[in-house]
Amino acid sequence: MEQFVSNVKYFTECLLQKQMTNCDDVIEELFSKACGLENFPQIPDPMLEECAIQLWNWAVTKNTGSSLTNMQKAKVRHVACSLLYCCEGETPTEGRIRKQILMASKAGRTWLDCKNPPNADIFLNLAVKSLETLYSKLTSRADRSSDTTLSKEDVEKDLLRILSFQAESALSQGNNTEALAFIQRCKDMLLRLPKDTAYLSLMCYNFGVDTYNMRKFEDSTIWLSQSYNIAKMNVKYAPESQVQARILRLLATVYVEWDCQRFQEKALNAVSLANKECMSTSGLYLKIRILLRCGASDDHIRAGLSEILEVEAALDECLSTVNLLVSEDRELLAFEFLKRVCQHFEASPDLGSALVLHAELLLQRGKELLGKQKIEDIITGHYTGKQLSPQALTCLHLMLWDKACKYFEARNYSEALQWYNYSLSFFQAGQLDPNLAKLQRNRASCFLQLKQLEKAKDAVKEAERCDPDSIFTQFSVYKVAVLENNAEKAAEALKAMGLLSKAPVSREDRLLVPETAASHLLKLAAQIALENEQQEAAMKALEILCENCDDAGLLLSALRCLVRLLLSTIEQRTEGMSAGSLDVLLPYLKMALHNISHQSSLAAEQRTEYADWFRKIAWNSALYCESRPDRMRDFFVLSYQLSHLCPPDRGLLMGQKTCLLMAAAASLELCRKSLLSDQTEELTRVLEQIQTCREVWKTLKASGNFSTDPTDTLLLLYEFEACAKLNNPKVETVLESVLELQNVEAKVLETIAALAMEPPAHFPLLCRKALRVALALHRNPPQVDLSRCSKCIHSLINLSLPSGVSEAEARVLQEAWGYYEEALSIIAASPDDFPQMETLWLLTRAWNTGILLYSLARYVEAEKWCGLAMSFVRHLGSLQESYETQMSTLYAKILDRLEKARIKHGPRAMEE
């Protein structure tokens, strides 16, 4: 127990520290300790009592500064009160008991405020016991002084309050019978404490309200009846008559909502008593409501309506009664009473509200002619001294516009216009008002539907005057411009709509939702232009829509329509798909790709549908770009990117492969034509595309037989060209991969050879290697192609033979000599099929090589090469005789001079 006291003292001191800011943990510790003292064991310790007082005072101080929550306050009071009771001696003094009563009652009240009635009951019961103990002490006194009498009265007052708290606690726990028992004890005490009559009456009223809100009608009627009966126990100290009337009106309402037919008399009796207590329009209104719900006769209800007028009810209250009659299908009574109300308030400045309601009821009941007459009377009155209030005028405008809108939706535009014109009658000439602009726009729409273009233009001009910065006004301007075929005006209006679409747009006559109003207007603008065969205006509207729309579905739908319009426009032109058309189309497809990729609001089916459609458009567009390799590349890349947004299948993979191949080919074409300032980036991108294509191709090949497909060859050709132009050492590896292909064609190798030497590439060794393999393939039976063989040999000799003095190395000459020998063997095998001009070229080139060696004093080699040239003479056919005579003479001279040393000048070189 000493530990308990020590802990309490420690935590109390913590709370009392001035610098303590977060006291919640300390309060929780104290509360957990006190909760273990449920039976309050006696701990007669002055230190514990002091802690109890300190805690109580601390809570009072903190509560004044509103720094404690209700729950924290309840817990501190709980601890303080528990500690005080623990310290109670065998014979507590009156002062201690009074202190206990105060603390227990307040602790109980605080727990009630925290919606914790079980904890509240602990302390309320303690308070009652302490009160009984104190009362017993006071009663046992020998003296009968006035102080003693006053003290006993104070005890009874405290007891009444605590009993009422116990009733509240019981009721909150669903114990209605127990709560009534506590209140009955309180009622019994009112004979001695009459001044608490109002308090107890209002408490029962609050109980009645609470049970009514919980739809416990029976309990509510009991408490409300108790409240009224308690008030009647002592008229002097009862709540004022207005409060008693409110109690009775609520009692009547409860009876009505509980079972109107069953408790009709009780409800009427309650409301009649309320009106006797304090006559009010709310009571009379309730009486009418009860009569209507109970199906009373018209005469009974008329009597009640007369009472409302007799008590000088306000106009709004009378009109509410009219609406009540209408809602209960007492139309005749409603119009009768409304007529009397209009007569009664004829001189009131608010009479317009009644007149507007009259017109509205006539229209609601289908009495349109009478309604129109009433509205025309209101218009006349408005300008002859019976001006409508702003509120009534607003209601009338709304009613007129609603009527007009319904006729417009029903396509009865003349009737809609008449209702809009009624509304226009209340606007003054020259008035600037956004609502007037809206009205004029609506009128313009009617005129356009009625084919009255000039009147529509006038209405739109008025709308522009009142509200030129409204997107709806500019839309109206646009509609008129389209119908007038005024392309310039329509374009200006669309431009203005585009700027205004960036600002928030409000609702306009049920036409649009606020979030997408601008987008839908631009969509309508495009539709209107198409309906009037103005494609350029439609495309402009769709462009602006795409730039400003946040709705993914609408944006992609607009883009698709825009692309269709552009393609149809191109088809109508004689030049077809021009460069300018391609430049216009490309950004649309890029926008489509971006939005399909980044819009999570699209359903999967929608995403696939849009992606596939735009993918095909990009593909077909690429096919028109033969003269524009840059655009062909862009469109094929777009088609490939869009294909990734579609479900993969074999057909789609084939498309991806083709897109990547064609994009790479287009990029290489750009580099060949030197159309790019920096080819390195483009060629690097080509290598990336080739790698991606290989991955796609690998997946495809795993799904079937593609033995005749040239993709592997093309990929290697493109890779070789890109690496060669980048001077990438991987180029040799690529050639080896080409040579490893099954059934590689000689044509492919010839292409490789050409690419190896095409500037900026320069790989003569690789070129010769490719040509040698190509030559071997050309010589393979059964179809030996001597023409291609001759070209290969021509190229190999060109690459091998020296073109100058410094290049005439023995190794180079030896390689070239081998090519000549191969040429001779080919010619010998088919002398008549080898091209004669190629034979002549071989002869001439060999001869000139000999002459070059001769000039270098390399006589033995010179004789060898000249002799080689002579061996081709017999294969010259018709040219043999002329060349044989000439070359024999020259060759003889060379042989002669070879015998002489150091001849400075040799014979002249032959022309190739």
Side-chain angles (χ1 to χ4, degrees), residues 610-640:
Y610 282 121
D612 193 52
W613 192 87
F614 285 108
R615 175 184 72 85
K616 292 174 181 176
I617 293 295
W619 175 286
N620 292 334
S621 301
L623 301 180
Y624 285 101
C625 300
E626 291 182 9
S627 61
R628 290 286 303 275
D630 56 335
R631 285 289 169 261
M632 177 180 282
R633 172 202 61 195
D634 293 340
F635 282 119
F636 273 125
V637 167
L638 274 172
S639 183
Y640 169 73

Side-chain angles (χ1 to χ4, degrees), residues 745-755 770-771 774 778 788 792:
E745 295 181 6
K747 185 178 180 181
V748 172
L749 294 167
E750 289 171 350
T751 304
I752 289 280
L755 292 172
L771 287 173
H778 285 310
R788 301 306 304 171
C792 284

Side-chain angles (χ1 to χ4, degrees), residues 1 32 101 204 320 342 378 411 575 603 685 768 900:
M1 195 56 66
S32 65
I101 293 167
C204 290
S320 295
C342 290
I378 293 172
R411 301 186 179 183
E575 70 273 15
R685 188 180 299 115
R768 293 203 296 272
K900 301 175 183 179

Side-chain angles (χ1 to χ4, degrees), residues 55 62 198 297 369 387 429 642 663 733 743 751 873:
L55 286 171
K62 288 291 183 180
S297 66
L369 289 176
Q387 192 170 9
L642 285 161
T733 306
N743 302 320
T751 304
V873 172

